[in-house]
Amino acid sequence: MYSEKVMEHFRNPRNMGEIPDADGVGTVGNPVCGDMMAIYIKVKDNRIADIKFKTFGCGAAVATSSMVTELAKEKTLEEAMKITRANVADALEGLPPVKMHCSNLAADALHAAIEDYHKKQKSDKGGRK
Ligand code: FES
């Protein structure tokens, strides 16, 4: 069954929504269930100044994305890159085994958003030359 923490994040998700002028966007699909997740980040001084998520996933996906945004906020990009699926599940006091794959989405989407940010930085510089 779900922990109290999962239920609480599911009922009251943090940082849900979209950042229209995001510095990085990560979109991933879950190969297990086909659900989707998007994470938007705003970066300032190498830190995640703002972060939001949108998911077309199950309740556990909502809770894990909510948790991942809390874990990543204000972190440096390097620290945020190190947030793993296991960190997210642990912070939620565990997930039922059949729902562990749902936590993959949140961490993967966060990492994809950071990679997207780096890619954009590079192409911006290229454009200015
Ligand atoms: Fe698809 Fe949970 S069942 S994300």
Side-chain angles (χ1 to χ4, degrees):
M1 275 285 64
Y2 291 121
S3 70
E4 223 359 82
K5 200 111 203 191
V6 172
M7 289 310 292
E8 203 269 312
H9 274 263
F10 174 62
R11 281 193 217 106
N12 179 25
R14 327 290 199 269
N15 308 308
M16 197 152 70
E18 201 176 322
I19 303 177
D21 58 342
D23 297 319
V25 182
T27 310
V28 293
N30 193 323
V32 180
C33 59
D35 292 343
M36 298 271 297
M37 160 91 60
I39 289 213
Y40 305 82
I41 54 170
K42 270 302 236 192
V43 179
K44 208 171 165 221
D45 300 330
N46 199 47
R47 278 183 194 273
I48 298 190
D50 199 11
I51 178 163
K52 288 207 190 307
F53 79 91
K54 223 165 54 179
T55 185
F56 305 95
C58 66
V62 172
T64 51
S65 352
S66 167
M67 182 50 91
V68 102
T69 60
E70 290 237 293
L71 291 177
K73 208 164 192 172
E74 305 296 333
K75 293 267 183 343
T76 65
L77 295 178
E78 293 75 23
E79 287 164 345
M81 245 353 224
K82 286 191 197 128
I83 296 172
T84 63
R85 304 157 177 185
N87 294 148
V88 180
D90 284 353
L92 286 168
E93 292 163 4
L95 279 170
V98 294
K99 288 283 169 185
M100 275 311 281
H101 73 269
C102 312
S103 67
N104 298 356
L105 272 188
D108 289 354
L110 170 65
H111 299 161
I114 295 170
E115 277 158 19
D116 183 51
Y117 168 74
H118 286 309
K119 227 185 282 160
K120 285 197 173 119
Q121 292 298 100
K122 270 191 211 132
S123 58
D124 274 5
K125 274 190 201 120
R128 254 182 256 138
K129 259 187 226 155

mmCIF file with all atom_site columns, all heavy atoms in Angstrom, residues 8 10 22 27 35 41 92 94 96 99-100 122:
data_model
loop_
_atom_site.group_PDB
_atom_site.id
_atom_site.type_symbol
_atom_site.label_atom_id
_atom_site.label_alt_id
_atom_site.label_comp_id
_atom_site.label_asym_id
_atom_site.label_entity_id
_atom_site.label_seq_id
_atom_site.pdbx_PDB_ins_code
_atom_site.Cartn_x
_atom_site.Cartn_y
_atom_site.Cartn_z
_atom_site.occupancy
_atom_site.B_iso_or_equiv
_atom_site.pdbx_formal_charge
_atom_site.auth_seq_id
_atom_site.auth_comp_id
_atom_site.auth_asym_id
_atom_site.auth_atom_id
_atom_site.pdbx_PDB_model_num
ATOM 1  N N   . GLU A 1 8   ? 0.027  12.005 0.646   1.00 0.00 ? 8   GLU A N   1
ATOM 2  C CA  . GLU A 1 8   ? 0.024  13.446 0.902   1.00 0.00 ? 8   GLU A CA  1
ATOM 3  C C   . GLU A 1 8   ? 0.472  14.214 -0.357  1.00 0.00 ? 8   GLU A C   1
ATOM 4  O O   . GLU A 1 8   ? -0.138 15.212 -0.735  1.00 0.00 ? 8   GLU A O   1
ATOM 5  C CB  . GLU A 1 8   ? 0.936  13.709 2.107   1.00 0.00 ? 8   GLU A CB  1
ATOM 6  C CG  . GLU A 1 8   ? 0.634  15.000 2.838   1.00 0.00 ? 8   GLU A CG  1
ATOM 7  C CD  . GLU A 1 8   ? 1.446  16.131 2.271   1.00 0.00 ? 8   GLU A CD  1
ATOM 8  O OE1 . GLU A 1 8   ? 2.672  15.935 2.096   1.00 0.00 ? 8   GLU A OE1 1
ATOM 9  O OE2 . GLU A 1 8   ? 0.864  17.177 1.975   1.00 0.00 ? 8   GLU A OE2 1
ATOM 10 N N   . PHE A 1 10  ? 0.295  13.076 -3.379  1.00 0.00 ? 10  PHE A N   1
ATOM 11 C CA  . PHE A 1 10  ? -0.712 12.840 -4.420  1.00 0.00 ? 10  PHE A CA  1
ATOM 12 C C   . PHE A 1 10  ? -1.883 13.806 -4.246  1.00 0.00 ? 10  PHE A C   1
ATOM 13 O O   . PHE A 1 10  ? -2.375 14.398 -5.202  1.00 0.00 ? 10  PHE A O   1
ATOM 14 C CB  . PHE A 1 10  ? -1.184 11.387 -4.347  1.00 0.00 ? 10  PHE A CB  1
ATOM 15 C CG  . PHE A 1 10  ? -2.315 11.099 -5.277  1.00 0.00 ? 10  PHE A CG  1
ATOM 16 C CD1 . PHE A 1 10  ? -2.156 11.243 -6.650  1.00 0.00 ? 10  PHE A CD1 1
ATOM 17 C CD2 . PHE A 1 10  ? -3.549 10.696 -4.794  1.00 0.00 ? 10  PHE A CD2 1
ATOM 18 C CE1 . PHE A 1 10  ? -3.200 10.997 -7.523  1.00 0.00 ? 10  PHE A CE1 1
ATOM 19 C CE2 . PHE A 1 10  ? -4.599 10.442 -5.661  1.00 0.00 ? 10  PHE A CE2 1
ATOM 20 C CZ  . PHE A 1 10  ? -4.425 10.593 -7.016  1.00 0.00 ? 10  PHE A CZ  1
ATOM 21 N N   . ALA A 1 22  ? 10.802 28.098 -19.983 1.00 0.00 ? 22  ALA A N   1
ATOM 22 C CA  . ALA A 1 22  ? 11.771 27.256 -19.273 1.00 0.00 ? 22  ALA A CA  1
ATOM 23 C C   . ALA A 1 22  ? 13.135 27.277 -19.953 1.00 0.00 ? 22  ALA A C   1
ATOM 24 O O   . ALA A 1 22  ? 13.225 27.419 -21.173 1.00 0.00 ? 22  ALA A O   1
ATOM 25 C CB  . ALA A 1 22  ? 11.247 25.832 -19.222 1.00 0.00 ? 22  ALA A CB  1
ATOM 26 N N   . THR A 1 27  ? 11.206 15.550 -21.380 1.00 0.00 ? 27  THR A N   1
ATOM 27 C CA  . THR A 1 27  ? 9.978  14.772 -21.544 1.00 0.00 ? 27  THR A CA  1
ATOM 28 C C   . THR A 1 27  ? 10.365 13.313 -21.701 1.00 0.00 ? 27  THR A C   1
ATOM 29 O O   . THR A 1 27  ? 11.217 12.991 -22.532 1.00 0.00 ? 27  THR A O   1
ATOM 30 C CB  . THR A 1 27  ? 9.209  15.227 -22.798 1.00 0.00 ? 27  THR A CB  1
ATOM 31 O OG1 . THR A 1 27  ? 9.080  16.639 -22.755 1.00 0.00 ? 27  THR A OG1 1
ATOM 32 C CG2 . THR A 1 27  ? 7.813  14.616 -22.845 1.00 0.00 ? 27  THR A CG2 1
ATOM 33 N N   . ASP A 1 35  ? 2.976  5.828  -19.813 1.00 0.00 ? 35  ASP A N   1
ATOM 34 C CA  . ASP A 1 35  ? 2.652  7.148  -19.286 1.00 0.00 ? 35  ASP A CA  1
ATOM 35 C C   . ASP A 1 35  ? 3.767  8.149  -19.602 1.00 0.00 ? 35  ASP A C   1
ATOM 36 O O   . ASP A 1 35  ? 4.881  7.762  -19.903 1.00 0.00 ? 35  ASP A O   1
ATOM 37 C CB  . ASP A 1 35  ? 2.439  7.078  -17.771 1.00 0.00 ? 35  ASP A CB  1
ATOM 38 C CG  . ASP A 1 35  ? 1.176  6.303  -17.434 1.00 0.00 ? 35  ASP A CG  1
ATOM 39 O OD1 . ASP A 1 35  ? 0.348  6.128  -18.331 1.00 0.00 ? 35  ASP A OD1 1
ATOM 40 O OD2 . ASP A 1 35  ? 1.041  5.881  -16.284 1.00 0.00 ? 35  ASP A OD2 1
ATOM 41 N N   . ILE A 1 41  ? 12.555 23.399 -16.094 1.00 0.00 ? 41  ILE A N   1
ATOM 42 C CA  . ILE A 1 41  ? 13.421 24.050 -15.108 1.00 0.00 ? 41  ILE A CA  1
ATOM 43 C C   . ILE A 1 41  ? 13.813 25.461 -15.556 1.00 0.00 ? 41  ILE A C   1
ATOM 44 O O   . ILE A 1 41  ? 13.940 25.736 -16.747 1.00 0.00 ? 41  ILE A O   1
ATOM 45 C CB  . ILE A 1 41  ? 14.719 23.247 -14.818 1.00 0.00 ? 41  ILE A CB  1
ATOM 46 C CG1 . ILE A 1 41  ? 15.497 22.918 -16.087 1.00 0.00 ? 41  ILE A CG1 1
ATOM 47 C CG2 . ILE A 1 41  ? 14.435 21.994 -14.029 1.00 0.00 ? 41  ILE A CG2 1
ATOM 48 C CD1 . ILE A 1 41  ? 16.897 22.343 -15.835 1.00 0.00 ? 41  ILE A CD1 1
ATOM 49 N N   . LEU A 1 92  ? 9.921  9.314  -0.296  1.00 0.00 ? 92  LEU A N   1
ATOM 50 C CA  . LEU A 1 92  ? 8.476  9.079  -0.185  1.00 0.00 ? 92  LEU A CA  1
ATOM 51 C C   . LEU A 1 92  ? 8.173  7.939  0.785   1.00 0.00 ? 92  LEU A C   1
ATOM 52 O O   . LEU A 1 92  ? 7.042  7.470  0.841   1.00 0.00 ? 92  LEU A O   1
ATOM 53 C CB  . LEU A 1 92  ? 7.882  8.746  -1.556  1.00 0.00 ? 92  LEU A CB  1
ATOM 54 C CG  . LEU A 1 92  ? 7.729  9.918  -2.531  1.00 0.00 ? 92  LEU A CG  1
ATOM 55 C CD1 . LEU A 1 92  ? 7.416  9.411  -3.919  1.00 0.00 ? 92  LEU A CD1 1
ATOM 56 C CD2 . LEU A 1 92  ? 6.640  10.876 -2.068  1.00 0.00 ? 92  LEU A CD2 1
ATOM 57 N N   . GLY A 1 94  ? 9.168  4.935  0.545   1.00 0.00 ? 94  GLY A N   1
ATOM 58 C CA  . GLY A 1 94  ? 8.934  3.679  -0.174  1.00 0.00 ? 94  GLY A CA  1
ATOM 59 C C   . GLY A 1 94  ? 7.740  3.727  -1.099  1.00 0.00 ? 94  GLY A C   1
ATOM 60 O O   . GLY A 1 94  ? 6.847  4.555  -0.938  1.00 0.00 ? 94  GLY A O   1
ATOM 61 N N   . PRO A 1 96  ? 5.128  0.892  -3.379  1.00 0.00 ? 96  PRO A N   1
ATOM 62 C CA  . PRO A 1 96  ? 4.839  -0.541 -3.562  1.00 0.00 ? 96  PRO A CA  1
ATOM 63 C C   . PRO A 1 96  ? 5.664  -1.067 -4.741  1.00 0.00 ? 96  PRO A C   1
ATOM 64 O O   . PRO A 1 96  ? 5.858  -0.327 -5.721  1.00 0.00 ? 96  PRO A O   1
ATOM 65 C CB  . PRO A 1 96  ? 3.345  -0.565 -3.887  1.00 0.00 ? 96  PRO A CB  1
ATOM 66 C CG  . PRO A 1 96  ? 2.823  0.767  -3.497  1.00 0.00 ? 96  PRO A CG  1
ATOM 67 C CD  . PRO A 1 96  ? 3.950  1.735  -3.548  1.00 0.00 ? 96  PRO A CD  1
ATOM 68 N N   . LYS A 1 99  ? 4.893  -0.355 -8.253  1.00 0.00 ? 99  LYS A N   1
ATOM 69 C CA  . LYS A 1 99  ? 4.881  1.057  -8.635  1.00 0.00 ? 99  LYS A CA  1
ATOM 70 C C   . LYS A 1 99  ? 6.285  1.663  -8.698  1.00 0.00 ? 99  LYS A C   1
ATOM 71 O O   . LYS A 1 99  ? 6.430  2.862  -8.928  1.00 0.00 ? 99  LYS A O   1
ATOM 72 C CB  . LYS A 1 99  ? 4.027  1.851  -7.619  1.00 0.00 ? 99  LYS A CB  1
ATOM 73 C CG  . LYS A 1 99  ? 2.551  1.567  -7.761  1.00 0.00 ? 99  LYS A CG  1
ATOM 74 C CD  . LYS A 1 99  ? 2.024  2.309  -8.955  1.00 0.00 ? 99  LYS A CD  1
ATOM 75 C CE  . LYS A 1 99  ? 0.638  1.887  -9.343  1.00 0.00 ? 99  LYS A CE  1
ATOM 76 N NZ  . LYS A 1 99  ? 0.218  2.560  -10.578 1.00 0.00 ? 99  LYS A NZ  1
ATOM 77 N N   . MET A 1 100 ? 7.299  0.848  -8.485  1.00 0.00 ? 100 MET A N   1
ATOM 78 C CA  . MET A 1 100 ? 8.666  1.377  -8.511  1.00 0.00 ? 100 MET A CA  1
ATOM 79 C C   . MET A 1 100 ? 8.994  1.989  -9.883  1.00 0.00 ? 100 MET A C   1
ATOM 80 O O   . MET A 1 100 ? 9.693  2.983  -9.972  1.00 0.00 ? 100 MET A O   1
ATOM 81 C CB  . MET A 1 100 ? 9.692  0.279  -8.192  1.00 0.00 ? 100 MET A CB  1
ATOM 82 C CG  . MET A 1 100 ? 9.925  0.049  -6.711  1.00 0.00 ? 100 MET A CG  1
ATOM 83 S SD  . MET A 1 100 ? 10.230 1.526  -5.744  1.00 0.00 ? 100 MET A SD  1
ATOM 84 C CE  . MET A 1 100 ? 11.959 1.845  -6.117  1.00 0.00 ? 100 MET A CE  1
ATOM 85 N N   . LYS A 1 122 ? 24.831 25.473 -25.114 1.00 0.00 ? 122 LYS A N   1
ATOM 86 C CA  . LYS A 1 122 ? 25.848 25.300 -26.158 1.00 0.00 ? 122 LYS A CA  1
ATOM 87 C C   . LYS A 1 122 ? 25.396 25.932 -27.463 1.00 0.00 ? 122 LYS A C   1
ATOM 88 O O   . LYS A 1 122 ? 26.139 26.666 -28.095 1.00 0.00 ? 122 LYS A O   1
ATOM 89 C CB  . LYS A 1 122 ? 26.131 23.814 -26.379 1.00 0.00 ? 122 LYS A CB  1
ATOM 90 C CG  . LYS A 1 122 ? 27.246 23.329 -25.482 1.00 0.00 ? 122 LYS A CG  1
ATOM 91 C CD  . LYS A 1 122 ? 27.699 21.944 -25.872 1.00 0.00 ? 122 LYS A CD  1
ATOM 92 C CE  . LYS A 1 122 ? 28.176 21.194 -24.651 1.00 0.00 ? 122 LYS A CE  1
ATOM 93 N NZ  . LYS A 1 122 ? 27.626 19.860 -24.550 1.00 0.00 ? 122 LYS A NZ  1
#
